[in-house]
Amino acid sequence: MSNTTSSHNHSHCINEQDQKAITNKRYLPLLLINYACLFVGSLSSSLLSKYYFNHKGSSRWVSTWVQSVGFPLLVIPIFLPYYLFKSTERKPFTHFTPKILALSIFIGLMLGLNNLFFSWGNSYLPVSTSSLLLSSQLVFNLILSVIIVKQKITFMNLNCVILLTLGSALLALESNHDRPQGLTRAKYFIGFIATIGAGLLFALYLPIMEMIYKKVYCYAMVMEMQLVMEIAATALASVGMAWDGGFAEMKREGREVFDKGERVYWATVLSNVVSWQLCFMGTAGMVFLTCSLTGGICMTALLVMNVLGGVLVYREEFGGVKAVSTVMCGWGFCSYVYGMYVKNKMKQLDPDLDHKQITNISPPNLIQMDQIVAPSPHHNGV
């Protein structure tokens, strides 16, 4: 009886989500919305975090805390469609099992640690340098995707990973020329290692989420999991804040330390909170709708925008080494996009082509209804 009920609930969730999507034309707009959130969130959070440290903000716990404390904003996409817009019959947190809850808490704690590493790196390194270093997460992403979700290695994705890794290595070899005034060599390399660590943790996060999302029935549940993860990450950051006197320091910093004044300080903190939520929402949506490697590739493409943003907004140095690294990032991304284009063309010519070799970003007429609800279990990207 219990199995019958569970099967009925599962079927109801999928059918209801099909009714909400109506046709596969909803897939592409949702994908574009998530990438827009990722674009705006990634660029603005990177620049705002650097703005905080540039104007005498010094608490890495505060910088870590604001990355997840905006979790109440996720109430909007979770509860409004059901209670206000009446656009779905699925009640929030339906089928949210204890196992999913435990996994979400664990991954949230891992995400909180990643946020701390990112804050350490961003406090010591220029935005452009940290952005290029974070591109190294792609090589970790590919390796872990092969291990965790059986990602198929092709010439296109391997070429992309190699180019991005070489770009980061080239930047490291010339690190002495990029160190800000007054920053010791030791602190610079602490920032360097912390940023690489953040990339590694995030690379682990992406394929783990892809594996979990294969059992997730609808986009609403993705946002519910994201809410739990952000709460766990906030709890970790709050413990660190309390242990290090961060909350009292936060008030003092706004009144006495931040050189742009208290109002600008709190505006910076609030803007950071919103931008980070956009970034994480976009990331979760991209992984759910495509795959972990495609999500990582898209994020790496945005790192080039972060580099240019750091140069334009903060007048950071953009010498030959950084220019070559940026070109490598762009070249690697373009090679991956070309690979997706070729695979889609092959799929059009041969519908029986192995799904493992096809990217999840397909033309609307190739997307089946069940792919709108969740990625195919055999769908692992280029």
Side-chain angles (χ1 to χ4, degrees):
M1 180 68 181
S2 176
N3 291 338
T4 303
T5 303
S6 176
S7 176
H8 172 75
N9 288 339
H10 184 176
S11 175
H12 172 76
C13 184
I14 294 178
N15 291 337
E16 195 280 324
Q17 189 65 15
D18 283 347
Q19 292 169 3
K20 180 183 177 183
I22 302 176
T23 70
N24 56 17
K25 292 180 180 179
R26 292 284 183 93
Y27 175 90
L28 187 57
L30 186 60
L31 187 65
L32 293 176
I33 289 171
N34 276 275
Y35 192 74
C37 289
L38 180 58
F39 176 85
V40 174
S42 176
L43 182 59
S44 58
S45 61
S46 179
L47 295 176
L48 285 166
S49 295
K50 193 62 185 179
Y51 183 83
Y52 167 79
F53 287 112
N54 280 353
H55 294 285
K56 298 185 179 180
S58 60
S59 175
R60 293 168 190 85
W61 280 114
V62 170
S63 182
T64 302
W65 189 66
V66 299
Q67 292 181 52
S68 57
V69 75
F71 65 84
L73 294 173
L74 293 173
V75 168
I76 297 173
I78 292 174
F79 289 96
L80 260 59
Y82 178 79
Y83 289 104
L84 183 61
F85 301 131
K86 309 294 182 182
S87 59
T88 176
E89 296 179 7
R90 179 186 178 276
K91 192 173 182 179
F93 290 95
T94 302
H95 312 299
F96 203 86
T97 64
K99 182 178 179 180
I100 293 178
L101 177 63
L103 285 171
S104 299
I105 292 173
F106 172 76
I107 296 170
L109 294 174
M110 185 175 74
L111 200 58
L113 187 59
N114 172 81
N115 294 344
L116 179 60
F117 282 166
F118 178 85
S119 297
W120 271 84
N122 210 37
S123 66
Y124 288 139
L125 300 179
V127 170
S128 51
T129 302
S130 62
S131 296
L132 288 170
L133 283 176
L134 283 171
S135 67
S136 66
Q137 61 91 15
L138 205 54
V139 67
F140 303 131
N141 189 352
L142 179 60
I143 294 171
L144 294 171
S145 293
V146 169
I147 297 172
I148 297 174
V149 294
K150 310 304 180 185
Q151 169 69 47
K152 183 177 179 63
I153 296 180
T154 67
F155 172 77
M156 293 300 176
N157 59 34
L158 185 61
N159 178 59
C160 177
V161 168
I162 290 174
L163 286 171
L164 292 170
T165 304
L166 288 176
S168 298
L170 181 63
L171 189 68
L173 293 174
E174 294 292 329
S175 61
N176 284 337
H177 301 292
D178 194 39
R179 206 163 60 239
Q181 287 186 341
L183 186 64
T184 66
R185 181 184 180 88
K187 287 185 177 180
Y188 185 91
F189 279 100
I190 287 174
F192 191 93
I193 296 301
T195 304
I196 294 293
L200 176 58
L201 277 175
F202 202 74
L204 178 62
Y205 161 81
L206 291 175
I208 288 178
M209 291 313 302
E210 180 184 352
M211 181 177 62
I212 295 173
Y213 286 162
K214 288 178 180 179
K215 300 180 180 180
V216 170
Y217 313 135
C218 49
Y219 184 78
M221 190 177 287
V222 173
M223 292 295 101
E224 292 160 5
M225 290 183 64
Q226 192 66 26
L227 176 64
V228 175
M229 286 188 285
E230 297 291 345
I231 291 174
T234 301
L236 179 65
S238 297
V239 170
M241 287 270 286
W243 172 74
D244 202 30
F247 290 106
E249 176 66 19
M250 194 176 186
K251 295 180 180 179
R252 189 189 70 82
E253 192 174 63
R255 289 195 307 265
E256 304 172 11
V257 179
F258 198 73
D259 62 12
K260 289 294 184 178
E262 190 171 1
R263 288 186 179 181
V264 176
Y265 176 82
W266 290 111
T268 302
V269 170
L270 181 60
S271 300
N272 247 316
V273 167
V274 175
S275 64
W276 276 111
Q277 284 309 304
L278 287 175
C279 184
F280 286 128
M281 284 175 60
T283 302
M286 289 294 294
V287 174
F288 175 73
L289 294 168
T290 60
C291 66
S292 59
L293 185 59
T294 299
I297 292 286
C298 291
M299 292 186 67
T300 302
L302 292 179
L303 293 178
V304 178
M305 297 303 298
N306 289 353
V307 171
L308 297 178
V311 172
L312 293 174
V313 175
Y314 298 121
R315 299 293 186 261
E316 292 179 353
E317 179 186 352
F318 194 76
V321 172
K322 198 169 289 185
V324 171
S325 296
T326 302
V327 170
M328 283 186 168
C329 286
W331 184 9
F333 174 70
C334 290
S335 72
Y336 187 80
V337 171
Y338 176 72
M340 291 193 296
Y341 171 78
V342 170
K343 291 298 181 182
N344 285 331
K345 284 294 184 182
M346 291 173 64
K347 176 62 177 177
Q348 288 178 327
L349 295 174
D350 182 9
D352 296 326
L353 191 66
D354 184 4
H355 285 289
K356 291 183 179 180
Q357 300 180 18
I358 306 299
T359 181
N360 217 358
I361 302 181
S362 305
N365 63 324
L366 294 179
I367 300 172
Q368 300 300 319
M369 187 65 70
D370 61 341
Q371 288 176 300
I372 300 175
V373 180
S376 167
H378 303 292
H379 216 60
N380 292 328
V382 176

